[in-house]
């Protein structure tokens, strides 16, 4: 009988979730949705030494922000297989480890770390490397070499011991990976991994396989770094008698640095000028801050669209996908084998495409919030340089909306709006020096004096009249209108490049335009 597709994302709370981890979660989610299956979030926290405070919540927040919602799991509500945090499932695993020992597929190992270190050094002196495997286990202190009485004595004495898998001596193991095809490994390459530790906790391998079995996982979709563990997992399924329900494996390609030179690591992000984490993360030990896509101003839709295409390709050349379109288009057989190069510039382009999809109204609301935030953080300072109507301008939706409409072509991020539209709220008192040096003249002064006078007499200060009068005066003064347009912009906003000139003047309004021309005429020699 076909089983309902069930997949899981199983991160360990050992730090912030890398964007590669979010991609793994996304592909699992898309696969589940496409197949009408379930997607589970399981927290694999059996390694107490690597536990990092706050990272579990970070994982949950990252998935929520990205719009990747598990059906079951830590932070998303319990399903039938709760709990989903492995530390809370602690008592489940021992029985399977003991079962493996009883059936001859695993053994107790009593070697102390010092004893193992001694063997390792001895072998290194002989120019070989030590691993606890099908050869060395025969000379080490374990239940394969000790007598039944000795083993019992060790166990009863309460001395520390671990349980190791007994990897067959020389056998070919085959893993059929959906993305990579057959992967064949000889067991001679494998070591007898610890399955159960002296602290009473299972290792990743045992807990992962047992939970995938108990949670009825049908497909394991995870990063390529886990491919080397897959043969061991296949062996565990066989030894535990679960081969008939073993999940299918799909190992996703690595995310590579922009130059293609190696894996995109946690360290790369801020060093190369882009985030590698979905959200900001402050290391609880060092206090070091790493930046996140959310705080950099990315839309979550843009972020996951980028992730979608890092390792998967559609049939055609569509680049922008809504979540529904992603679900519709996604399939594992279009996941690439080769690593996916991350392109920070293209990532910004994606954000701009999503920004374009937002209405002026939406963007204005975001910008108004952003201005409030910037006021809070001191990035914008409200002081005497601000006009008296500053507060009413930044809270006037229609005004901000028009400022957004005029400037939206210029930005990739909503948090860039302030830098391209601040002059609608705070008048400038500096004027682009190089431009003024070149273009300011007595004739120009006269022109803008006349312009001001004509604007003053205007009853209706709208786009058409502002432009017509400007052109009429230019022609009357014997200059081409284009010649003074940039200069007019400098007078109004301080710089020669900027949004459409007459729209800018119309939004500023008659009083403010006149004020700004007067101020410039006073300031400029
Ligand atoms: N706990 C592993 C991790 O941190 C999970 C690997 C897997 O999906 O099997 O990524």
């Amino acid at each position: 009988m076909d089983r309902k597709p069930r997949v899981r994302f199983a991160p360990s709370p050992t730090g912030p979730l890398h964007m590669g981890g979010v991609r793994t979660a996304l592909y699992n989610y898309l696969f589940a949705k496409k197949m009408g299956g379930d997607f589970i979030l399981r927290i694999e926290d059996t390694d107490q030494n690597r536990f990092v405070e706050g990272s579990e919540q970070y994982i949950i927040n990252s998935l929520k922000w990205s719009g990747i919602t598990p059906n079951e799991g830590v932070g998303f509500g319990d399903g039938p297989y709760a709990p989903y945090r492995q530390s809370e499932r602690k008592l489940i695993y021992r029985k399977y480890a003991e079962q493996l020992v009883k059936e001859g597929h695993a053994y107790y190992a009593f070697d102390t770390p010092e004893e193992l270190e001694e063997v390792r050094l001895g072998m290194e002196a002989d120019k070989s490397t030590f691993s606890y495997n099908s050869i060395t286990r025969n000379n080490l202190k374990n239940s394969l070499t000790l007598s039944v009485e000795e083993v019992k004595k060790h166990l009863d004495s309460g001395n520390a011991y671990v349980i190791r898998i007994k990897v067959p001596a020389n056998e070919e193991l085959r893993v059929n990976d959906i993305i990579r095809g057959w992967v064949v490994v000889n067991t001679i390459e494998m070591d007898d991994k610890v399955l159960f530790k002296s602290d009473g906790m299972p290792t990743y391998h045992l807990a992962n396989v047992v939970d995938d079995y108990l949670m009825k996982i049908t497909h394991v979709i995870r990063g390529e770094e886990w491919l080397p563990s897959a043969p061991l997992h296949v062996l565990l399924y066989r030894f535990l008698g679960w081969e008939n329900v073993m999940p299918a494996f799909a190992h996703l390609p690595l995310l590579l640095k922009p130059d293609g030179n190696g894996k995109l690591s946690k360290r790369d992000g801020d060093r190369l000028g882009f985030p590698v984490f979905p959200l900001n993360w402050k290391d609880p030990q060092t206090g070091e801050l790493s930046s996140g896509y959310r705080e950099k101003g990315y839309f979550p839709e843009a972020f996951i669209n980028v992730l979608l295409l890092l390792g998967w390709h559609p049939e055609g050349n569509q680049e922008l996908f809504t979540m529904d379109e992603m679900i519709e288009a996604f399939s594992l057989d279009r996941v690439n084998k080769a690593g996916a190069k991350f392109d920070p510039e293209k990532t910004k382009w994606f954000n701009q495409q999503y920004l374009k999809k937002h209405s002026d109204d939406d963007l204005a609301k975001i910008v108004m919030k952003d201005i409030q935030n910037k006021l809070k953080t001191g990035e914008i300072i409200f002081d005497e340089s601000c006009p008296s109507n500053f507060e009413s301008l930044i809270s006037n939706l229609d005004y901000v909306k028009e400022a957004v409409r005029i400037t939206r072509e210029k930005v990739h991020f909503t948090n860039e709006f302030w830098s391209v539209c601040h002059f609608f709220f705070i008048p400038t008192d500096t004027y682009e020096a190089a431009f003024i040096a070149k273009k300011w003249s007595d004739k120009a002064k006269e022109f803008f004096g006349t312009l001001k006078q004509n604007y003053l007499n205007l009853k209706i200060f709208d786009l058409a009249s502002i432009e017509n009068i400007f052109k009429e005066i230019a022609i009357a003064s014997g200059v081409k209108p284009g010649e003074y347009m940039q200069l007019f912009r400098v007078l109004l906003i301080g710089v020669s490049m900027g949004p459409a000139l007459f729209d800018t003047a119309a939004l500023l309004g008659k009083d403010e335009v006149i004020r700004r021309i007067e101020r410039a005429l006073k300031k400029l020699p």
Side-chain angles (χ1 to χ4, degrees), residues 485-497:
M485 278 175 61
Q486 266 184 308
L487 201 47
F488 189 23
R489 188 181 285 117
V490 176
L491 264 50
L492 292 180
I493 67 170
V495 287
S496 56
M497 305 293 276

Side-chain angles (χ1 to χ4, degrees), residues 136-150:
T136 57
R137 69 186 174 217
N138 298 318
N139 298 313
L140 290 161
K141 208 158 78 191
N142 55 52
S143 57
L144 302 173
T145 56
L146 301 177
S147 68
V148 176
E149 294 73 39
E150 281 171 315

